[in-house]
Amino acid sequence: MSKVFWNILKESQIPLTLAAAVGVLSGALLEARLEALISLPILLAIIPPLNDMAGDLGTIIVARLTTAFYLGSIEPKLRKNRGLRTNLLSLMLVSTIVILYIGFVLSPIYSVTLDMNGMLFTVLIIVMLAGMMGVFFTLLFGIFLSVLSFKKGYNPDTVVMPMITLIGDFLSIASILFIAKMFGLV
Amino acid sequence: MSKTSKQRKLKPVNLKDIIIQMKDTSELMLDLAFSTILFEEDYFAEEVLELEEKMTELCFKAREVVMLASKGIKEVESLSAILQIIQAAEKVSNAAVEMATIELRDIGLPKAFFKTMHLIEETITSLVVPENSTVVGKRLDYIEKETGMQIITMKRNGQWLIKPDGKITLKAGDRLIAKGPFEALSNFEVLIMGKHVMMPSISELMEPESQRKIREMLVEMMNLSQLSVDLAYSSTIFYNKEIADEVLKVEERMDRMQEAVEHEILLFAKVTDNVKLLRGLLRLAWALETIADASVEMANVVLSGVSLHPIFVSAMEESDEVISKIEVKPNSKLDGLTVTECGLQSDMGIQIVTIRKALTGKWEYYPKGDTKIEAGDVLIIKGSKESIDSLINLTTMESAPNESR
């Protein structure tokens, strides 16, 4: 029991500390724009699905790539790598489908329930742009961390997965706020 | 952390590279083990022992990498099939160690026996480059391309080079050990020596009758052991149950031959004082049969119906010696030629492992020179990637290799 405890602690303390730091950063980012978000609850409502999607796709790419690196079907290098490009493009395509679903199904519902009919089109655009941006950068981080973890011999399950989930959270929040700012909403 | 576990700490390495290295290493070990027996060189035997350590390490790494890469039931199943093949490759290497130690432990074999080793289908030969040879100053890859023989090792200034770089230029006095199809041997000799080297005939060796039977059976077992490995790899690469069944048949034949050869060796014991040599023969027979057993373990992956992960085929395509399958099309120029006429073995160094005749549907192992290749026949061939690629191009060309020269 004690050996298992120390193993878990040893393996996860650094990634969990880093992940917690990223989590705190995400919270600080939300807190900094709290008033604007309260005045526009629709933006708060789209954060969870976009967060979830970025984290999920991030873990998918890490799982796929680390397996491919260990098998040798994709080379663990960042430049001129067809395998990485194919995975990135495929997951971006998947994310586009999910974002379209979130945009066209959930946004109108939220707009009605949150009584923000006048902003439906703007909300749709924000969801799509912020979703794509958040996922894209999360996937890039996922690729980088997968290559790094393979080269350094880290366990992807205990080191990379927790980090990419939190990075996905941070990047999707940052993307929503960035795009909303572009539209002058926050 | 202990020293051993520190040494074995997993470095970034992938399964594909491990499979390539294991296949190439086990094949090199077999070549070196045969060379040890043929040329009585202790150096090769020591090299085989060192390579065995590498094989053990690779096997260990393969298990680690598979555990790290496995996700999902289907993947676990297809990767465990790869582990079974890897384990069989290690078994082949263990058999090579057994053969190599015949020389290293000074057990020995009857002289007449290894002087007729050139009779095996994939022959191994040793030549010293003479002063006036036309190949002096030529690169090794040129020799390989011209003759179809593969240079396994080279000795220069008293130093052996294992798997020498193809860019090395030859000097007079270099000793080359090469392997390839028996048909390519004379090309190799003519290019290096300027003439065909006459091998001693069986009658010249003054071989006792009692020994002749044993030698013939062991040469046959050598051919069959090589064939079983080639067929086993072919069955897994093409995931072909029919070829896998052939591996089982070859292994059954090997079992019977081992029993027969043991019987003959025991009979020979009555008339010889040199029992040490008999131990060498018994050990050789045992090692050859072990190779066939290992081949069955590989073929069983296909026979059990377990799916094989695609990374295995991908690795096989990148190994030193590639196995390929071609079907002779009716308009192909190979159609209607005999094995000798098509020049695959003598001119391109491609070994025809087996042909499945379209008419009978039966597999013919190591077909003889007068075997006719006809439309619909399926050829399982083995050779360097360059040669195989050339052949695949050729099947769409208008002339056979020896016609295009």
Side-chain angles (χ1 to χ4, degrees), chain B residues 66-81:
Chain B
V66 162
M67 279 184 229
L68 282 165
S70 302
K71 287 188 180 77
I73 295 289
K74 274 191 179 174
E75 201 160 56
V76 168
E77 197 180 79
S78 61
L79 287 174
S80 71

Side-chain angles (χ1 to χ4, degrees), chain B residues 51-251:
Chain B
L51 288 171
E52 167 60 9
E53 281 178 28
K54 185 184 170 188
M55 282 294 281
T56 308
E57 183 72 10
L58 283 170
C59 207
F60 189 85
K61 276 187 179 168
R63 282 197 291 267
E64 283 181 328
V65 170
V66 162
M67 279 184 229
L68 282 165
S70 302
K71 287 188 180 77
I73 295 289
K74 274 191 179 174
E75 201 160 56
V76 168
E77 197 180 79
S78 61
L79 287 174
S80 71
I82 291 185
L83 282 182
Q84 186 166 328
I85 295 172
I86 283 174
Q87 203 141 333
E90 208 206 358
K91 200 168 175 181
V92 170
S93 73
N94 290 338
V97 170
E98 284 300 320
M99 278 193 265
T101 49
I102 293 173
E103 187 58 40
L104 206 60
R105 292 184 190 152
D106 204 22
I107 300 169
L109 289 166
K111 298 283 176 206
F113 174 73
F114 56 77
K115 279 188 180 165
T116 54
M117 285 271 288
H118 61 278
L119 296 172
I120 60 175
E121 296 290 342
E122 192 174 58
T123 191
I124 296 179
T125 191
S126 167
L127 291 178
V128 177
V129 179
E131 285 286 344
N132 56 352
S133 175
T134 53
V135 295
V136 172
K138 294 270 189 334
R139 285 165 46 146
L140 289 184
D141 51 11
Y142 166 81
I143 312 286
E144 291 185 334
K145 199 178 168 201
E146 284 298 303
T147 63
M149 294 288 279
Q150 190 190 334
I151 315 283
I152 313 166
T153 59
M154 170 183 174
K155 192 177 193 179
R156 175 175 287 177
N157 303 328
Q159 294 286 315
W160 281 105
L161 296 171
I162 305 292
K163 286 183 116 181
D165 192 327
K167 290 174 188 160
I168 293 175
T169 50
L170 278 175
K171 288 181 184 171
D174 285 346
R175 186 176 169 196
L176 303 176
I177 292 188
K179 72 162 183 177
F182 185 64
E183 290 74 8
L185 182 63
S186 58
N187 277 353
F188 184 71
E189 289 167 347
V190 169
L191 188 72
I192 306 278
M193 311 290 286
K195 59 178 182 183
H196 179 51
V197 183
M198 293 303 289
M199 292 286 183
S201 67
I202 309 298
S203 55
E204 278 176 71
L205 293 168
M206 306 287 286
E207 184 183 37
E209 175 59 22
S210 47
Q211 214 171 284
R212 181 188 59 79
K213 234 177 168 178
I214 299 170
R215 176 186 52 77
E216 280 177 356
M217 280 194 277
L218 283 170
V219 167
E220 178 67 0
M221 282 182 82
M222 278 182 171
N223 284 332
L224 288 175
S225 67
Q226 187 61 55
L227 175 71
S228 65
V229 174
D230 291 341
L231 287 177
Y233 276 120
S234 307
S235 69
T236 52
I237 292 168
F238 309 117
Y239 207 79
N240 187 315
K241 288 195 176 186
E242 209 182 334
I243 302 176
D245 277 330
E246 294 297 317
V247 178
L248 264 62
K249 284 179 195 163
V250 171
E251 200 274 332

Side-chain angles (χ1 to χ4, degrees), chain A residues 67 69-73 150-151, chain B residues 12 14-16 65 69 71 311:
Chain A
T67 296
F69 293 157
Y70 280 118
L71 289 179
S73 53
F150 178 77
K151 286 192 171 170
Chain B
N14 63 59
L15 186 62
K16 186 176 167 185
V65 170
K71 287 188 180 77
I311 203 70

Side-chain angles (χ1 to χ4, degrees), chain B residues 332-351:
Chain B
S332 164
K333 279 289 175 181
L334 292 178
D335 183 11
L337 296 178
T338 64
V339 167
T340 305
E341 285 167 350
C342 75
L344 294 185
Q345 306 195 123
S346 56
D347 295 349
M348 296 179 84
I350 292 174
Q351 175 98 44

Side-chain angles (χ1 to χ4, degrees), chain A residues 92 128-138 171 174-175 178-179:
Chain A
M92 279 307 293
M128 292 180 71
L129 290 179
M132 299 285 281
M133 191 176 153
V135 167
F136 179 71
F137 285 108
T138 306
L171 287 172
S175 303
F178 177 76
I179 301 293

